């Protein structure tokens, strides 16, 4: 049997499938609940790679993929082809391609620093050409093209698999994730952008949050003042679960399925249902102790409301910025495509109600994990790879760099005030109008929803799904320091251990990266130096 692996390298985690290259059948699926790079979003990953070295970042990515392939049950000598897809930052780091052109916004800045755009065309190479993948002596690596250097293969996958290019309507497509890629098509021209929404939409940076995986709360409904929980089962199907008193956690109606956290879709559902029922009045939760109680002692806090709100605000600001670039109103967008795990499992009607979908759309289409689909297609067909390259070259696109786009900045500042400070929605609209930006409004009625797939990965394979709670990648260094465990104590995620010989081990997937660095600040100067970190190598 000839074996291949299709891999979606996402900012929040990796999704991979073992595939029979002769029949095209999926045999097994493995997902990780985190990305191996320190940090919770793509900007953290960029910072880590730029500050501490591309080699370090690549080593973590490669080790993570090795672990995933091993978990899929493939021996190094059995692997014949590996196909990857994802955003340009993750794919570049994995391949060891410099990312300076992605890290700095603005042509003047890049010219001043003498930064050249890297080529990110489709290619097939021997795995031996990628540092760390030499252990797969018989395997080729297949890489899809970017549309432009900053508009990656994931955006191309989203555009192609949605049917976006064939639509006659003004439409928008969004991959709802940590690094939310989005594209607007208007009169044949595509406008693209990427909003660093943060990990709340993937269930992370939420106190009881989890990436979409078995036994997490994926949806809620209010029933006579109580909260009905809906949980993903072991095959990632949404099933009815317990009915809970949101004020104290008392069980009103028991159910056998247990929950271990809340996924991003559950977070959206909680906020939509809470706002509609008055139990959430931004940014407050109107319960006796300002906590919403869910099943199995899972709780939702006011800090969670704020974290999720900032992510939703970034999405809406991104949509508005693309409309502004196209010279249209948000009301002109009539069709919306939702992709990614969050875009598949969230209730599209609820997403529409809270502003994550343009308010005036006639239809929302949920299309699943387009990045993994494209990875599988190019794994099985070289012809398909070169077809994608031709399509990418023909797409007329304008990329809106949100980091420097004034429309996005102005809109997002107002979104922060709305979600975090309780600014009335009418005031939000007033400020947008004052800035001369496209207008937004609250939806009137319920939009039509077309669900192309029930699960973001519709086929798991005969061997089923395996979830890696831990990615299994580590950073290490030797330190000589006083016998104090300050760095261990201050780490919020228990990511650090130090043995008796002073060998530090940092679980890279648990580390908060640039947004934290408490370990560095807690230690004597020049003792705990990240510059001295190396990747703990793992065999395949």
């Amino acid at each position: 049997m000839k074996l291949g692996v299709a891999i979606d390298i996402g900012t929040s985690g990796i999704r991979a499938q073992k595939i029979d290259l002769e029949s095209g059948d999926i045999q097994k699926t493995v997902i990780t609940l985190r990305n191996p790079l320190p940090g919770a979003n793509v900007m953290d990953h960029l910072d880590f790679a730029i500050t501490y070295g591309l080699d370090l970042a690549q080593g973590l990515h490669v080790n993570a993929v090795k672990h995933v392939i091993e978990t899929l049950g493939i021996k190094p000598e059995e692997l014949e082809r590996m196909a990857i897809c994802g955003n340009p930052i993750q794919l570049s780091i994995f391949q060891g391609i410099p990312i300076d052109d992605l890290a700095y916004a603005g042509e003047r800045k890049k010219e001043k620093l003498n930064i050249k755009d890297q080529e990110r065309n489709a290619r097939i190479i021997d795995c031996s050409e990628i540092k760390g993948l030499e252990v797969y002596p018989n395997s080729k690596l297949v890489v899809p093209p970017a549309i432009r250097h900053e508009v990656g293969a994931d955006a191309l996958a989203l555009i192609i698999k949605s049917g976006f290019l064939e639509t006659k309507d003004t439409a928008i497509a969004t991959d709802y994730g940590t690094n939310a890629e989005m594209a607007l098509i208007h009169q044949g021209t595509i406008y693209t952008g990427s909003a660093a929404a943060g990990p709340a939409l993937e269930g992370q940076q939420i106190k009881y949050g989890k990436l979409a995986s078995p036994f997490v709360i994926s949806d809620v409904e209010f029933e006579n003042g109580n909260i009905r929980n809906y949980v993903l089962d072991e095959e990632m199907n949404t099933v009815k679960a317990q009915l809970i008193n949101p004020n104290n956690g008392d069980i009103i109606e028991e159910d056998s399925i247990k929950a271990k956290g809340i996924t991003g879709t559950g977070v959206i559902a909680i906020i939509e249902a809470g706002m509609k029922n008055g139990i959430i009045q931004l940014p407050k939760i109107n319960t006796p102790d300002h906590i919403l109680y869910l099943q199995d002692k899972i709780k939702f806090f006011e800090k969670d409301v704020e974290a999720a709100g900032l992510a939703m605000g970034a999405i809406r600001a991104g949509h508005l910025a693309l409309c502004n670039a196209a010279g249209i109103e948000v009301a002109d967008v009539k069709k919306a495509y939702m992709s990614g795990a969050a875009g598949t499992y969230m209730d599209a009607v609820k997403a529409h109600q809270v502003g994550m979908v343009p308010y005036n759309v006639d239809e929302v289409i949920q299309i699943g994990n387009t990045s993994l689909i494209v990875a599988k297609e190019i794994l099985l067909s070289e012809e398909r790879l070169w077809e994608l390259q031709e399509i990418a070259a023909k797409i007329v696109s304008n990329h809106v760099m949100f980091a420097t786009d004034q429309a996005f900045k102005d809109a997002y500042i107002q979104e922060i005030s709305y979600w975090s400070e309780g600014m009335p929605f009418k005031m939000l609209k007033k400020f947008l109008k004052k800035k001369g930006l496209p207008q937004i409004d609250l939806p009137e009625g319920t939009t039509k929803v077309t669900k192309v797939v029930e699960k973001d990965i519709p086929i798991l394979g005969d061997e089923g799904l395996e979830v890696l709670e831990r990615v299994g990648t580590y950073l290490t260094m030797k330190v000589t320091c006083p016998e104090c465990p300050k760095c261990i104590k201050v780490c919020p995620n228990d990511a650090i251990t130090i043995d008796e010989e002073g060998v530090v081990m940092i679980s890279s997937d648990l580390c908060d990266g640039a947004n934290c660095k408490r370990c560095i600040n807690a230690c004597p100067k020049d003792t705990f130096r990240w510059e001295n970190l190396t990747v703990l190598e793992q065999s395949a």
Side-chain angles (χ1 to χ4, degrees), residues 221 267-277 280 349-351 353-354:
E221 295 279 0
V267 170
I268 303 306
I270 290 167
I271 290 178
E272 190 275 340
M275 290 174 67
K276 184 168 65 177
N277 287 272
I280 294 178
V349 171
K350 293 174 182 175
Q353 292 297 314
V354 297

Side-chain angles (χ1 to χ4, degrees), residues 216-220 230-232 238 263 265-267 269 345-347:
V216 294
I217 297 168
S218 62
D219 200 359
V220 302
Y230 292 85
V231 176
L232 295 178
T238 302
T263 192
T265 60
V267 170
Y345 292 113
M346 75 172 66
D347 185 316

Side-chain angles (χ1 to χ4, degrees), residues 53-73:
L54 180 59
D55 285 347
L56 207 60
Q58 187 205 14
L60 291 172
H61 257 318
V62 168
N63 272 5
V65 166
K66 284 179 177 176
H67 188 192
V68 166
I69 292 173
E70 182 183 9
T71 307
L72 284 167

Side-chain angles (χ1 to χ4, degrees), residues 136-304:
Y136 304 111
N138 306 317
S139 183
K140 300 280 188 182
L141 177 67
V142 186
V143 185
I147 299 173
R148 288 171 49 186
H149 77 280
E150 74 272 45
V151 186
D154 55 345
L156 178 63
L158 172 62
I159 289 167
I160 289 173
K161 300 312 296 183
S162 64
F164 197 64
L165 296 174
E166 289 76 47
T167 184
K168 303 290 185 184
D169 298 309
T170 295
I172 204 157
T174 308
D175 186 334
Y176 290 88
T178 300
N179 188 47
E181 290 80 19
M182 53 187 70
L184 169 77
I185 188 166
H186 176 66
Q187 297 181 347
T189 299
I190 293 174
Y191 300 83
T192 59
S194 178
L201 298 182
E202 299 278 12
Q204 298 179 51
Q205 282 192 348
I206 301 295
K207 179 68 174 178
Y208 286 87
K210 295 278 187 181
L211 199 65
S213 55
F215 309 114
V216 294
I217 297 168
S218 62
D219 200 359
V220 302
E221 295 279 0
F222 271 83
E223 297 181 10
N224 298 319
N226 297 310
I227 289 183
R228 171 70 68 185
N229 295 261
Y230 292 85
V231 176
L232 295 178
D233 67 13
E234 60 186 5
E235 294 184 350
M236 302 287 280
N237 297 306
T238 302
V239 298
K240 188 177 180 181
Q242 292 181 0
L243 186 67
I244 300 293
N245 183 328
N247 295 300
N248 54 28
D250 288 349
I251 299 173
I252 307 301
E253 186 180 308
E254 184 65 86
D255 194 278
S256 60
I257 191 166
K258 299 298 181 182
K260 60 182 181 181
I262 318 166
T263 192
T265 60
V267 170
I268 303 306
I270 290 167
I271 290 178
E272 190 275 340
M275 290 174 67
K276 184 168 65 177
N277 287 272
I279 204 166
I280 294 178
Q281 291 182 332
L282 297 177
K284 300 295 183 183
I285 294 177
N286 292 327
T287 59
D289 53 3
H290 305 290
I291 297 170
L292 270 177
Y293 291 85
L294 306 170
Q295 74 172 67
D296 298 311
K297 299 182 179 180
I298 296 168
K299 302 170 187 176
F300 194 73
F301 300 89
E302 288 182 345
K303 286 187 177 180
D304 298 332

Side-chain angles (χ1 to χ4, degrees), residues 45 69 90 319 390 398 416 461 521 532:
H45 298 168
I69 292 173
Q90 306 297 341
H319 290 166
E390 289 182 11
N398 293 296
I416 292 172
N521 296 328
N532 298 332

